[in-house]
Structure formats: C-alpha cells, structure tokens
Amino acid sequence: MKPKIAIACQGGGSQTAFTAGVFKALFENKIQDYFNIVSLSGTSGGAICAFLIWYALKKGDDIVWKRLIDFWEDNTAQTAQEKFFNDSAIKTLEWVSKGKIPQYNLSPYSPIVKAWFSFATQGLRRRFTDFEELLGSHIDFSELATWGMQPEPPILLIGACNILTGRLHKFNSYREAIKLEHILASACIPNLFPAVSIEEMAYWDGLFSDNPPIDSLIKSNFVGIANLPQEIWVIKINPTTRDKIPTEADDIADRRNELEGNLSLFQSLGEIENLNNLFLRGAFNEEFLAKIDVKEPMKIPKSFPDDPDQDYHIPMIEMSEDLAKLLNYESKLDRSPEMINRLIQDGEKQGKKFIETRLKQMGLNNESR
C-alpha cells in the first residue's frame, strides 16, 4: 500500500510562490503514484497554495499544479503601472525598516488609507488590487458552495486566528464546507486588511495561529481515522538558522519575523516527537494502536537538523540557502515577476530534489520508476 502523507504549507506572503514550485515538482514527478495524499494544511499564503491544490484534486484536474501556477502568474505585477506601484511600495517599506523615512501607523479602517489606496491603484487591474477578485478568477466559488463538507481525502485544514476569543482556529473540509471567507481570513494581515467576519466571529492571519496547522493532521476527530498520515511533509518558508547576529534595525525585525513564523511549527513538531517517543517506549497498548492503524513512529521533519535523538524523520522542503539569504521581510509583499518566478523555479528545484531523495529511501530509483 502507498504510504499516507499529509502536506503542511507554511505561510509567508509572496514568498509562498516557492510552495507553488514545490507542488509543481511533486506532481510532475508522479507523487500520486507512490503516496496517498490524505490531507493538506496551510496558513496565509500557504493556505492559498494548499487550497488550490486541494481544489484541483477534488475537481480531477488533468494537470494538478497548473491552477496554482496560473494563480501566481496572475498575481504578479504585469503592466508598467503595476510594476511601478509594486516597486515603489517595496522600496518605501525598506526605507522605513532602515529608518530612512518615518513610519506612520495607520489602520486599514482609516478613511485616509482607503482614499489613498483608491487613488494610488487607479488604472491597475482589478485582480491586482482586489484579492477576492483574483481568487475568483481561478476558483468557481459558486460551485464550491454546492459541495458541502468533504470527508473524503484529501482533507483540507486552513489556519486562522479568532481575534475575539483569542483561540487558534482551523477551517476543516472534514467538518464543514470550505468558503472564500476562510481563505480571506487565513491571509488577513492586520495592518493591511480589515478583519474578516464570519457569522459572529472575526479572524486575522493564521500567522497568529498555527503556521502551518500540524497537530490537527494527526487527530482522528479532525481528519477521520482513515486519513491519519504516516508521514507529514512541511513546505517551509521561514529559515531556521542564521549565520550571523542581526545588528541593523531592519535585520532585527526580519529575524524576529522569521522566529515568530517558526514558533508554532516547532512546538507542534515537538508534540509529535514526544508521541513518537512514547510509542517507541511501549506507552500505548496494541488494541488502541490497531484502531488508529499505527504500526510505527510517524515520519516528520526534524525541528533542528543536528538533533541526534530524533531518527524517525524526513527533511523539510526549504528554499535554497542562496535564495533565502537574498530575502527580507519586505519581499513577502513583493509581487514583481522576477521575484515570483525565481521563487517558483527554486521551489521546483527543491521539490524535485526532495521527491527523488524520498523515493530512493523507499528503495525506488529512476529505473524502477
């Protein structure tokens, strides 16, 4: 039988175009021939990628990754005016981070902000300035509304933060119908967009939640016993390590953002590592394990590669070191074609390397494939 896998996608704004490249490589290298994808999860930009792949699988698209790549290409600055708007915004943010110009803290609810944005985006494509419009160009949400809950694999989990209750929240296709508002909620950056209201609750970016959702992937009440994975693959955006101490204000802010983005991921992986250790020490009886079809420790990425105590891991799928060093916090908002294309291409490279290595670990090589 094919191993059951869950793929979790970390958030990171425009940098999650890398995730699109990874998915393209995984499906081009026939991931479905060797693995059973039982669930997908994501936060913010990672939620968008996971959602588009989930939707393509449910629709039975011939080329599973195409809808996702088309979305990212559509999301780039295409006209001269869009490129000017994008480059000016990114450069201004960089100057603010470096302290070259003053920072003004304005609310997305402010009439001044709304008026400025309306003026500054005149003449730009609607899909470039309206995220809901962009999503609607690639997803038939009226059709999606007729689907209802989807308890059959793959299950989709989308991370968000309920800002009224202060609790983490996962929108879950196993329990409810997935809606446009769920995607908007997970990607709602508080300084840029008003909170997304759903029924009587309000939500912000899933960065304040699980980035990405991990622990729910191994809970039968979230995904169903039949959909518990044997492996979890993480497509990771924020780098774990740095080779020097950040000393400039912008570097400090950038590193702080990376650490915050990884915090919930490492906590969730740590919980699973603890469960694996309990399993190896015989803490669970055979009858219980048989009910959830667990025969061995779950294969998960190492939180820290140099940890000698964890030997039941698979690597995370991460950007190349050269590319990661070029990126900063502002690049998470950069939609220049050069940046997006480079991220996608690096994702393809790293995704191909990952799947080839994983297949070799299973005793499969190019000839047997």
Side-chain angles (χ1 to χ4, degrees):
M1 293 180 61
K2 294 185 287 188
K4 297 178 181 179
I5 65 167
I7 304 177
C9 308
Q10 193 175 51
S14 296
Q15 291 180 15
T16 52
F18 169 82
T19 303
V22 171
F23 273 122
K24 181 181 178 183
L26 294 180
F27 283 99
E28 283 187 332
N29 284 271
K30 306 184 186 316
I31 180 178
Q32 290 169 290
D33 288 353
Y34 306 101
F35 299 94
N36 182 11
I37 305 172
V38 293
S39 56
L40 297 156
S41 74
T43 291
S44 195
I48 297 168
C49 292
F51 169 68
L52 285 163
I53 291 295
W54 173 81
Y55 183 80
L57 288 170
K58 291 290 183 179
K59 289 278 288 182
D61 287 357
D62 292 334
I63 305 175
V64 176
W65 53 263
K66 187 177 186 304
R67 195 182 296 268
L68 178 55
I69 295 296
D70 287 348
F71 167 86
W72 278 105
E73 290 178 349
D74 201 11
N75 192 31
T76 61
Q78 297 178 5
T79 67
Q81 191 174 354
E82 288 173 357
K83 292 176 182 178
F84 177 78
F85 176 87
N86 177 81
D87 296 346
S88 298
I90 298 304
K91 183 58 67 176
T92 298
L93 289 171
E94 289 177 345
W95 284 345
V96 169
S97 295
K98 292 179 180 296
K100 293 183 177 180
I101 59 176
Q103 178 177 357
Y104 298 96
N105 292 321
L106 297 174
S107 166
Y109 296 89
S110 166
I112 296 175
V113 171
K114 293 179 180 179
W116 173 85
F117 185 78
S118 177
F119 172 78
T121 58
Q122 287 183 9
L124 305 184
R125 287 178 305 131
R126 180 82 182 272
R127 293 202 299 270
F128 185 73
T129 60
D130 187 327
F131 183 54
E132 185 173 339
E133 180 83 10
L134 175 65
L135 280 172
S137 299
H138 299 272
I139 299 292
D140 186 346
F141 283 100
S142 60
E143 178 195 26
L144 184 63
T146 68
W147 287 10
M149 64 179 66
Q150 294 287 307
E152 298 300 320
I155 307 302
L156 177 66
L157 300 177
I158 297 172
C161 177
N162 187 320
I163 59 177
L164 299 180
T165 66
R167 293 185 176 183
L168 312 183
H169 190 88
K170 289 98 172 175
F171 301 106
N172 181 359
S173 68
Y174 186 75
R175 294 177 168 180
E176 62 187 318
I178 296 298
K179 303 176 182 178
L180 167 64
E181 290 79 10
H182 299 163
I183 312 301
L184 298 177
S186 183
C188 180
I189 303 172
N191 300 98
L192 298 180
F193 306 110
V196 175
S197 297
I198 302 175
E199 296 177 352
E200 297 180 354
M201 293 293 111
Y203 299 88
W204 275 348
D205 194 319
L207 175 63
F208 303 96
S209 173
D210 288 351
N211 189 24
I214 295 285
D215 60 339
S216 299
L217 296 172
I218 64 168
K219 294 178 179 178
S220 59
N221 60 322
F222 270 84
V223 299
I225 290 179
N227 301 319
L228 294 174
Q230 295 164 286
E231 302 181 14
I232 296 178
W233 300 357
V234 178
I235 305 177
K236 190 166 173 288
I237 302 300
N238 294 305
T240 301
T241 63
R242 281 238 181 165
D243 54 8
K244 62 180 181 179
I245 299 172
T247 56
E248 300 297 326
D250 55 335
D251 288 334
I252 293 171
D254 185 33
R255 185 54 178 158
R256 178 174 177 177
N257 176 265
E258 292 171 351
L259 296 173
E260 290 172 345
N262 284 333
L263 180 62
S264 63
L265 169 61
F266 291 158
Q267 287 177 333
S268 294
L269 291 177
E271 290 178 11
I272 299 177
E273 290 169 14
N274 185 49
L275 288 173
N276 280 343
N277 287 329
L278 291 173
F279 173 86
L280 291 171
R281 294 172 185 174
F284 305 106
N285 64 52
E286 293 184 4
E287 181 181 358
F288 170 73
L289 294 175
K291 288 181 179 179
I292 58 176
D293 194 28
V294 173
K295 300 180 179 65
E296 60 182 359
M298 183 173 299
K299 296 181 174 67
I300 59 172
K302 272 192 176 185
S303 301
F304 299 95
D306 57 352
D307 181 358
D309 296 326
Q310 186 185 342
D311 57 2
Y312 35 81
H313 75 283
I314 59 174
M316 298 186 192
I317 310 175
E318 299 188 73
M319 294 178 194
S320 63
E321 187 175 346
D322 289 342
L323 178 57
K325 286 182 177 180
L326 293 176
L327 303 179
N328 55 19
Y329 173 74
E330 289 75 27
S331 66
K332 291 185 175 181
L333 300 174
D334 187 356
R335 292 191 283 167
S336 66
E338 297 78 14
M339 174 63 71
I340 297 300
N341 290 335
R342 184 167 186 176
L343 286 159
I344 291 174
Q345 290 170 9
D346 195 64
E348 290 183 58
K349 177 182 176 182
Q350 299 303 316
K352 184 174 186 291
K353 183 188 301 183
F354 173 87
I355 191 67
E356 288 180 345
T357 299
R358 188 70 195 94
L359 290 174
K360 287 180 180 177
Q361 291 173 345
M362 296 170 62
L364 300 172
N365 53 37
N366 291 334
E367 287 73 23
S368 63
R369 291 166 58 196

